[in-house]
Amino acid sequence: MNDSPRASAEHSDDAAANPLRDARDRRLPLISGPGSMVMFGVTGDLARKKLLPAIYDLTHRGLLPPSFGLVGFGRRDWSHDDFAEYVRESVIADARTEFSEPVFEQLRGGLRFVQGAFDDRAAFEELTRVVSELDASRGTGGNHAFYLSIPPAAFPQVCEQLAGSGLNTPRDGSWRRVVIEKPFGHDLASARELNDVVEQVFNPEDVFRIDHYLGKETVQNILALRFSNQLFEPIWNANYVDHVQITMAEDIGIGSRAGYYDGIGTARDVIQNHLLQLLALTAMEEPVSFRAADLRAEKEKVLAAVELPQDLAAHTARGQYVGGWQGGQEVVSYLEEDGIPADSTTETFAAMRLDIATRRWAGVPFYLRAGKRLGRRVTEIAVVFKRAPFLPFRSTDTADLGQNAIVVRVQPDEGVTMRFGSKVPGTQMEVRDVSMDFAYGTNFTEESPEAYERLILDMMLGDPPLFPRQREVELSWQILDPITQFWAEHMPPAPYRPGTWGPDTAHEMIARDGRSWRRP
């Protein structure tokens, strides 16, 4: 661990408790102070489609200072102007806000590019010079973030170069931060190794782990839904809840991600991070405050209380899509995708039952499922309630009545649906399910920001509640590792057709408990 001043700690938990911040006019957004970002992997898909447009959108909304600097680092033989044109093209193609020449020219003034490879010491010396030049010409104040949008295997080399050039060490009154993207390792051991590498160079509070799902408006709304309303929290427990389903479905295949995806699979790709974070937010106790330490503590308690089913064969499922028709188009099987070995056993669908050993959730199963080439693109959390203990109706009156549910729609139609029984108009007493729907798009005039906008701004502000810390990462791997190990030894993936909701084994898994999957 280096001995650099932990300047950013002043901007993390303490910032959330700052009385001036708490007393501010809530109509006024927080605006980042002086600083710059150095982006490694700036020519990759993530940077081009998400990160660069998000930085422009923040600039357009006035949430980054006019002096903000952005340094791209890559192998391409680009001048600063070449890089600026690349950023312009990315912004025009994928930014959420409309393109404005004056806004882009403001951003363009802080754009720089450094050519080099990760093992090129001279390139990092040039990067040091460029960062110093931004301090002098743009007034970035020695505040610099390093975004590692690169494979985890490259982290050690980049971190070593940053330390060797002194870029990781802030001067008094400034900060240096590092942002790392998932995957945070591929199992518990590799996650710990990765963390050791990063924390040898940066202090723990200066490490921001991006899980972009935590930046989504509806994910944050879980906290508002639960803890700002007396309506929900009294029934948010085992006395009333029958089970919880968390679904992340995609209707596409792996596309061009074969190099990353094969050998990783759905469970490691999205369940270990996205879905377990959604589980933690759904099941956590009310935090003392929304400061990072308090919020993370409650999430960690939930993850530590998760229990795996004793019979993994009966209560987990694994699948791999085959070829067929979806949406009127013929699609190939996973094994026929470009770059996938013909004998690959990587799963494209995963499902599991998890239990939480706490008084609030004892006996309430949490069912998680995720996959590609499923019926539609949707991410949702469905809290399904127990049936009323007594129904003073004839059985025919309630034949079409299901279980009450609260469904948080994370994407694409962000909102919340409540499902309950209501009488059908007419002379007979007939009760059917009806839905009461809240949709962000129709209830608020302001469009929800992209997740990366929120997360990049929070990182620049040094505000860490939405960023999982290492303890959460390790607890998630402790949950998943026994399952993936069992699968590797005993459970090859079962086939499923595109456009369906996974293999038969997934439906059999939940049917053993007398339940069925929702069809979103």
Side-chain angles (χ1 to χ4, degrees):
M1 182 67 62
N2 63 17
D3 294 324
S4 60
R6 300 188 173 187
S8 67
E10 298 173 292
H11 302 280
S12 55
D13 287 358
D14 291 341
N18 187 326
L20 293 178
R21 172 171 176 167
D22 289 344
R24 69 183 176 87
D25 187 336
R26 294 292 176 177
R27 295 170 296 179
L28 301 177
L30 289 172
I31 300 173
S32 168
S36 80
M37 178 185 293
V38 177
M39 192 175 294
F40 296 92
V42 74
T43 58
D45 281 352
L46 176 64
R48 179 169 53 85
K49 295 181 179 179
K50 295 292 185 181
L51 303 182
L52 297 177
I55 288 171
Y56 171 83
D57 288 331
L58 289 171
T59 304
H60 195 282
R61 295 165 60 204
L63 300 180
L64 292 178
S67 60
F68 177 78
L70 175 64
V71 183
F73 186 100
R75 292 176 177 272
R76 298 192 185 182
D77 185 14
W78 278 352
S79 65
H80 298 326
D81 288 340
D82 293 332
F83 178 55
E85 288 307 305
Y86 170 77
V87 174
R88 177 195 288 269
E89 292 171 4
S90 300
V91 166
I92 291 174
D94 293 299
R96 181 175 64 89
T97 54
E98 64 181 354
F99 184 79
S100 165
E101 194 66 42
V103 172
F104 183 76
E105 285 303 310
Q106 173 189 312
L107 179 63
R108 183 185 186 121
L111 297 180
R112 305 287 187 273
F113 188 79
V114 174
Q115 181 188 12
F118 298 154
D119 60 353
D120 185 351
R121 173 68 67 179
F124 280 83
E125 291 175 357
E126 173 64 10
L127 179 61
T128 304
R129 187 197 67 77
V130 168
V131 165
S132 297
E133 183 267 321
L134 284 174
D135 286 339
S137 67
R138 303 283 292 179
T140 46
N143 300 320
H144 303 288
F146 302 93
Y147 202 121
L148 306 188
S149 181
I150 56 178
F155 284 11
Q157 195 168 44
V158 172
C159 287
E160 180 183 352
Q161 294 277 29
L162 291 173
S165 58
L167 283 167
N168 65 314
T169 305
R171 59 176 184 258
D172 290 344
S174 64
W175 50 258
R176 302 292 166 98
R177 298 174 186 141
V178 63
V179 185
I180 58 179
E181 280 275 353
K182 77 170 187 72
F184 311 124
H186 57 83
D187 57 16
L188 179 60
S190 62
R192 286 174 171 166
E193 291 173 6
L194 179 62
N195 186 64
D196 289 343
V197 166
V198 175
E199 290 193 359
Q200 284 177 3
V201 178
F202 292 92
N203 293 311
E205 65 268 21
D206 296 327
V207 180
F208 287 73
R209 298 169 183 84
I210 289 273
D211 184 338
H212 71 270
Y213 256 60
L214 296 183
K216 290 183 178 293
E217 198 74 36
T218 22
V219 172
Q220 298 168 54
N221 196 41
I222 297 171
L223 301 176
L225 182 79
R226 290 191 56 193
F227 302 128
S228 69
N229 298 296
Q230 185 68 5
L231 178 64
F232 301 113
E233 191 62 13
I235 58 172
W236 208 268
N237 55 59
N239 294 329
Y240 300 96
V241 176
D242 179 76
H243 70 282
V244 178
Q245 295 185 25
I246 303 178
T247 298
M248 180 181 172
E250 296 180 276
D251 57 4
I252 58 173
I254 62 164
S256 60
R257 300 180 70 210
Y260 161 76
Y261 197 88
D262 194 60
I264 297 295
T266 294
R268 291 186 177 95
D269 186 36
V270 296
I271 290 183
Q272 180 271 334
N273 38 72
H274 300 334
L275 268 64
L276 285 178
Q277 283 289 327
L278 294 181
L279 177 147
L281 290 169
T282 303
M284 63 184 273
E285 296 297 324
E286 181 177 349
V288 174
S289 75
F290 288 132
R291 292 174 55 175
D294 296 328
L295 192 59
R296 288 165 164 175
E298 297 304 332
K299 288 197 294 178
E300 289 169 13
K301 288 178 187 177
V302 171
L303 294 173
V306 169
E307 291 186 339
L308 301 180
Q310 292 185 347
D311 188 348
L312 292 177
H315 288 104
T316 67
R318 191 179 184 217
Q320 188 183 86
Y321 62 80
V322 298
W325 290 85
Q326 184 173 23
Q329 292 185 331
E330 189 172 12
V331 297
V332 300
S333 71
Y334 176 76
L335 298 180
E336 295 172 308
E337 298 277 14
D338 290 341
I340 300 298
D343 59 350
S344 174
T345 58
T346 298
E347 81 278 352
T348 60
F349 176 94
M352 60 192 67
R353 168 183 170 158
L354 301 175
D355 290 87
I356 300 175
T358 64
R359 177 172 294 187
R360 179 186 289 266
W361 296 112
V364 178
F366 282 67
Y367 298 101
L368 278 59
R369 63 173 170 171
K372 295 185 176 294
R373 290 271 179 236
L374 298 182
R376 58 168 296 199
R377 174 178 174 260
V378 61
T379 300
E380 68 171 32
I381 303 162
V383 180
V384 182
F385 291 87
K386 295 177 180 179
R387 296 184 184 275
F390 174 73
L391 292 173
F393 306 96
R394 294 176 303 175
S395 59
T396 54
D397 295 342
T398 57
D400 295 326
L401 179 64
Q403 292 171 266
N404 298 159
I406 298 173
V407 182
V408 179
R409 303 189 309 274
V410 177
Q411 67 175 15
D413 303 316
E414 295 90 345
V416 180
T417 296
M418 294 177 60
R419 187 180 70 188
F420 54 92
S422 179
K423 181 186 177 300
V424 177
T427 58
Q428 299 297 317
M429 175 57 76
E430 182 182 357
V431 184
R432 278 189 205 164
D433 288 329
V434 296
S435 293
M436 182 181 295
D437 188 67
F438 153 69
Y440 270 90
T442 57
N443 283 267
F444 295 106
T445 57
E446 183 176 354
E447 183 182 359
S448 296
E450 286 290 327
Y452 277 104
E453 292 177 51
R454 172 69 184 266
L455 294 171
I456 289 173
L457 179 60
D458 281 359
M459 182 277 299
M460 294 296 295
L461 290 166
D463 198 12
L466 296 179
F467 298 85
R469 65 178 172 183
Q470 180 64 13
R471 176 64 175 154
E472 292 175 64
V473 173
E474 292 188 10
L475 287 169
S476 298
W477 282 120
Q478 288 174 13
I479 295 167
L480 193 63
D481 277 357
I483 296 174
T484 55
Q485 183 177 351
F486 176 83
W487 286 352
E489 296 172 357
H490 304 290
M491 187 186 287
Y496 65 94
R497 292 178 293 109
T500 64
W501 288 97
D504 292 340
T505 52
H507 300 283
E508 293 163 1
M509 178 198 90
I510 196 169
R512 291 187 181 96
D513 294 339
R515 301 181 176 95
S516 60
W517 291 109
R518 281 175 43 82
R519 288 187 176 271

